[in-house]
Amino acid sequence: MPAVLDDISTEILHLKKKIGATILAHYYQEGEIQELADITGDSLKLAREATKVDTPVIVFCGVLFMAETAKMLNPAKKVLLPDLKAGCSLVDSCPPEKLHRYQEMLRENGRKFQTVTYINSSAAVKALSDWVVTSGNAEEVVRKIPESDEILFVPDKHLGRYLSEVTGRKMILWDGSCMVHEIFSVHDLVRMKKLHPTAQTIAHPECPKNILEHADFIGGTEAMIKFVGAYKEPVEFIVATEPNMMWQLESRFKHHKYLPVPGITCACNKCPHMALNTLEKIRDCMLTGGPEIHWQPEFDRAKEVLAKSLLNPPAAAKVQPQGD
Ligand code: SF4
């Protein structure tokens, strides 16, 4: 908690008590939002934590697919998203009708496959899937799929390519990508590495190969926290993920220095969808009781796939937890 709360933060804390809410915030939210949250995390941690919340209301500070996931796993709770327009470029890259047509075409051609879907997808796409994964459990799920089946991985082609390399499984990759991780400047990264020769470069697997090949460590946000936390002496880290992640790292491990990799088109490279949530909108959603995530018909099937994938992960799990 901040030492001195400003008016709006005080108002939010008061409303939280009044309506019985728990605030969940993704690591890509602004620091002032993460600071107020009861729980911060990546998409896997937040999905799991959402199932343990004992208040009637969840205020989800993240993007739409994350709030939908929280609703699917907690049908009886009221789930509020401060701004309903907080979307995701990965979700947009995979319309469910297009995926359905593609799956039909593969089946007509006699292909036997399982669809493994990154959690950054719409509920309708999750409903068309065999598995829903985060970057944290994707490897264990992929390893569990029999070799006799092909794998259709949607929608993140970069994460899919990375998983294919790590597991040795060939994959049919959907042509989607995250607008934030897609546009890191390799030129700037290489220049930074020259200027800071002892720095450790950490990168999210949603980054393209040309960025990952310069990384000393590749992992989702939870895995980054573990990796950075293991360094007891001060170290410089060059960070290739959404820059709000640095608030989390700076808060936990103050003795290190963090250097963000800029984007090609935008020096700050923040996710514009995540940025739609503000303290004012968090207060307003608790005041008005909306926008609320309502149950949709496709949630029924999507929930089944989510629950078996995230809450009861395969027994052979041997990978580090990571996520968006
Ligand atoms: S950072 Fe990328 S993957 Fe995450 S919500 Fe923003 S656009 Fe989607």
Side-chain angles (χ1 to χ4, degrees):
M1 284 295 136
V4 181
L5 288 172
D6 53 24
D7 288 352
I8 191 153
S9 303
T10 311
E11 219 180 327
I12 289 171
L13 294 178
H14 170 72
L15 281 166
K16 199 167 75 96
K17 262 194 194 152
K18 189 174 164 198
I19 67 167
T22 302
I23 300 179
L24 271 56
H26 192 272
Y27 292 141
Y28 294 168
Q29 292 289 283
E30 288 292 338
E32 60 187 9
I33 295 178
Q34 294 192 53
E35 196 161 21
L36 271 182
D38 298 294
I39 302 164
T40 54
D42 66 350
S43 46
L44 176 61
K45 181 178 168 196
L46 292 178
R48 287 181 174 155
E49 290 294 327
T51 64
K52 300 176 197 158
V53 165
D54 57 6
T55 56
V57 181
I58 292 174
V59 177
F60 204 106
C61 303
V63 295
L64 179 61
F65 78 83
M66 297 175 181
E68 286 181 341
T69 302
K71 180 68 183 176
M72 284 177 224
L73 298 174
N74 297 276
K77 305 256 183 228
K78 186 178 177 104
V79 178
L80 303 175
L81 179 66
D83 191 322
L84 216 44
K85 291 192 291 302
C88 171
S89 63
L90 275 169
V91 175
D92 297 341
S93 70
C94 190
E97 318 75 44
K98 202 171 163 192
L99 173 62
H100 182 61
R101 279 200 302 276
Y102 190 69
Q103 289 173 317
E104 287 300 296
M105 186 272 290
L106 289 175
R107 286 186 193 109
E108 280 161 18
N109 284 303
R111 309 272 288 265
K112 194 165 162 278
F113 63 95
Q114 296 197 25
T115 304
V116 180
T117 296
Y118 192 29
I119 195 166
N120 299 35
S121 51
S122 67
V125 163
K126 289 182 177 78
L128 289 168
S129 308
D130 297 291
W131 298 96
V132 172
V133 298
T134 68
S135 46
N137 71 344
E139 187 180 335
E140 66 191 81
V141 169
V142 166
R143 288 189 190 282
K144 203 190 170 207
I145 294 171
E147 297 274 348
S148 54
D149 287 357
E150 289 187 82
I151 294 173
L152 167 61
F153 189 86
V154 303
D156 189 345
K157 63 181 173 187
H158 297 306
L159 178 60
R161 186 205 48 77
Y162 171 72
L163 285 166
S164 177
E165 261 181 35
V166 171
T167 61
R169 291 293 298 267
K170 274 198 183 151
M171 290 184 191
I172 309 163
L173 299 178
W174 193 264
D175 189 16
S177 59
C178 159
M179 63 191 294
V180 173
H181 291 91
E182 177 91 322
I183 59 157
F184 282 122
S185 161
V186 186
H187 174 77
D188 285 325
L189 173 56
V190 171
R191 192 175 49 82
M192 288 168 80
K193 283 177 75 91
K194 277 195 187 136
L195 284 172
H196 304 272
T198 59
Q200 289 286 306
T201 300
I202 58 178
H204 196 285
E206 284 176 21
C207 293
K209 186 174 179 157
N210 63 352
I211 293 288
L212 296 185
E213 56 196 15
H214 293 288
D216 299 295
F217 175 77
I218 299 168
T221 48
E222 288 294 344
M224 281 181 182
I225 290 172
K226 251 191 175 169
F227 181 77
V228 170
Y231 285 83
K232 301 301 168 211
E233 297 302 319
V235 174
E236 281 187 322
F237 290 98
I238 297 174
V239 184
T241 191
E242 212 278 355
N244 280 317
M245 180 61 196
M246 277 182 302
W247 182 88
Q248 190 62 229
L249 294 172
E250 276 159 2
S251 311
R252 291 179 188 236
F253 315 112
K254 295 187 182 11
H255 57 299
H256 298 318
K257 192 169 170 203
Y258 306 95
L259 309 159
V261 182
I264 300 168
T265 53
C266 163
C268 84
N269 214 27
K270 288 191 178 180
C271 172
H273 302 289
M274 292 278 182
L276 287 175
N277 294 323
T278 60
L279 290 180
E280 287 76 10
K281 289 180 193 169
I282 294 171
R283 175 199 56 199
D284 293 348
C285 81
M286 286 198 276
L287 271 173
T288 62
E292 182 182 352
I293 306 298
H294 293 287
W295 195 265
Q296 305 295 320
E298 61 270 25
F299 283 15
D300 291 325
R301 161 77 187 146
K303 182 192 169 169
E304 273 176 41
V305 187
L306 259 176
K308 82 165 180 181
S309 306
L310 300 188
L311 303 182
N312 304 303
K318 276 189 187 145
V319 289
Q320 287 200 321
Q322 310 165 7
D324 183 9

